[in-house]
Structures are given as structure tokens and as C-alpha cells.
Amino acid sequence: MRGLQDIVTNAEEWPGVEWPMIQEGGAKQEGEGDWGDFHIGMGGFCDDLNPPVGYWCSQNPPRGNCYDPVKRTSKGCTQTHMSPDGLNYGSLLPNAPNYKNATGAVIQAWRGGARWFTNQCLVRSQDKTAGTLLFDDKVGCNQGGEGNVGFYQWWIENVFEEVYSCSLLLLLLLFLLLLLLFLFLLLLLLLLLLLFLLLFLLFLLLLLLLLLLLLLLLSSSLLLLFLFCFQWA
């Protein structure tokens, strides 16, 4: 990290320029509007930017700096610009111990503390013993004006073992879907067979009624014929 230079300028250094130093109403937060001291920082944690200059490059921005450069910790509120060096995933990536090569993986993450911006970080290497992914300090991971020492929500992509794991899950879900479809068709077939059986039974019932009707008709005819013959005898 290169040396840090905080630059503060105001109306005294710009004579002849309309530069109010006090805002009407008594607001106290200066340095980012059109009044009061103008603050900007150069170098420091902004050495990954081109140019390495900006409001949040300062270690003492008017909006405050919750980052402690000695303890390297943050309270999660406003802080000077900085880019994370890596990610301590712990037990959050159960497939990580099986990564054959994590180089080239990509971490997408929301800024910790609030969703003000996202970081996209390229993984350079993995330390399986420590459970960390180390980022490439020359590619990305420096998005956003403010700094970031912790991710709020994040996910990993472009690593084979995670894709393979998802593929197995998709195959399992596809298998279950096909199994359910097979069972549905089987039940539908059984229902059709049952319906056919009911229709067949109904046909037999109608045939039985027809035979019964014919039997009654023949019996009546025989009875009439017998009576007719008996009468003439």
C-alpha cells in the first residue's frame, strides 16, 4: 500500500470563488456538498484504483470512518475505501474441501452492513487448512466507493465441484419427476382399465336384461299358445 495523502481545501485557498463555508440551517456534515471544506484522499487503500484518488480514499472523511487501521476491524458503518483480500468460508461451502482447483472461481457479494453495492472477486488460490479463498489483487473486487471488510450475502460460481453438485441435484429432481410422471400414467391406465371393466359389466347387465326380457316374452307366448290350444280342444 502506497503512502496516504489527505487533501483538505476550502474558500481561503480559492479567493474570488463563491464558496459558502456554513450551510443555512446549521448542518454539520460537510465535505460532500457545495459548502464547507472539500476533502479528498490519494493513495493508501486506494492503490488498487486508477487514479488512486477519491472522497473515500481519505482516512478521515467527514462522514466518518468506522475502520480501525491498527486492529483492522470495522463497525460496519461508513469507512475508507478498501478491497477484501479473501474470504473465510468456514463451513458455509461444504464442497470446498473437494475443490481440485479453485483458481478462477468467482465470488459475488453484497457489501457487509448494507446493500450499497456488490463486489465481484476472482479467486487466486485456496487454503483448505484455513478454510479461505484468496482473491486476485489485480482483477476486480474493488467495486464501490466505500470500503468493505465483511460480506453481507455472497455466493460462489465458476467452480466445477459446485456445478457438479448442482447437476446431481438436478438429475435427482429430473428422475423424481419422471418417476412421478410414470406413476401418473400408470394410474391413468388403471383408471381407464377400470372404466373399461365397468362398461363391460354394464354391457353384460344390459345383455342379461335383454335375455330376461326375451325369456319373459317367450314364456308369455308359450302360455298364450297353450291357452289357445286348450280352448279349442
Side-chain angles (χ1 to χ4, degrees):
M1 183 178 70
R2 294 177 293 184
L4 172 67
Q5 182 180 3
D6 280 334
I7 301 174
V8 181
T9 186
N10 53 40
E12 294 181 1
E13 300 180 8
W14 293 82
V17 176
E18 184 180 352
W19 190 323
M21 292 300 296
I22 299 176
Q23 186 181 44
E24 185 178 353
K28 298 180 180 180
Q29 185 171 290
E30 60 180 6
E32 57 182 11
D34 56 357
W35 66 276
D37 291 339
F38 175 80
H39 294 251
I40 196 170
M42 297 180 61
F45 287 108
C46 286
D47 58 1
D48 60 338
L49 303 178
N50 185 22
V53 179
Y55 173 85
W56 288 111
C57 295
S58 171
Q59 281 289 342
N60 300 289
R63 286 182 61 186
N65 185 9
C66 295
Y67 178 72
D68 187 335
V70 177
K71 297 181 181 179
R72 295 187 177 183
T73 58
S74 175
K75 300 177 183 178
C77 53
T78 56
Q79 66 180 67
T80 186
H81 172 86
M82 62 187 63
S83 303
D85 297 324
L87 170 69
N88 182 13
Y89 55 80
S91 60
L92 298 178
L93 293 176
N95 295 321
N98 300 323
Y99 290 174
K100 293 182 180 179
N101 183 11
T103 302
V106 176
I107 295 292
Q108 308 275 5
W110 286 102
R111 178 194 186 276
R115 292 181 170 182
W116 292 340
F117 58 83
T118 58
N119 286 112
Q120 186 180 58
C121 309
L122 181 65
V123 175
R124 183 184 75 242
S125 61
Q126 177 187 17
D127 187 339
K128 293 185 179 181
T129 303
T132 59
L133 296 172
L134 302 178
F135 299 147
D136 190 330
D137 58 359
K138 295 181 176 58
V139 181
C141 217
N142 58 356
Q143 299 88 351
E146 291 191 42
N148 182 21
V149 296
F151 294 144
Y152 184 65
Q153 291 174 329
W154 58 272
W155 64 93
I156 189 171
E157 57 188 43
N158 200 39
V159 59
F160 176 77
E161 285 74 13
E162 296 296 342
V163 177
Y164 183 66
S165 176
C166 292
S167 298
L168 287 179
L169 181 59
L170 289 174
L171 288 175
L172 179 60
L173 292 176
L174 181 60
F175 172 76
L176 292 177
L177 180 62
L178 292 176
L179 180 61
L180 290 175
L181 181 60
F182 171 76
L183 292 176
F184 172 78
L185 293 177
L186 181 62
L187 290 176
L188 182 61
L189 179 62
L190 291 176
L191 182 62
L192 292 175
L193 290 176
L194 180 60
L195 182 61
F196 176 77
L197 181 60
L198 290 176
L199 292 175
F200 181 71
L201 291 176
L202 181 61
F203 172 75
L204 292 179
L205 180 61
L206 292 175
L207 184 61
L208 180 63
L209 292 175
L210 180 61
L211 292 176
L212 180 61
L213 182 61
L214 291 175
L215 180 62
L216 291 175
L217 183 61
L218 289 175
S219 300
S220 301
S221 300
L222 289 174
L223 180 60
L224 291 174
L225 182 61
F226 175 76
L227 292 176
F228 179 80
C229 293
F230 181 75
Q231 182 179 1
W232 287 97

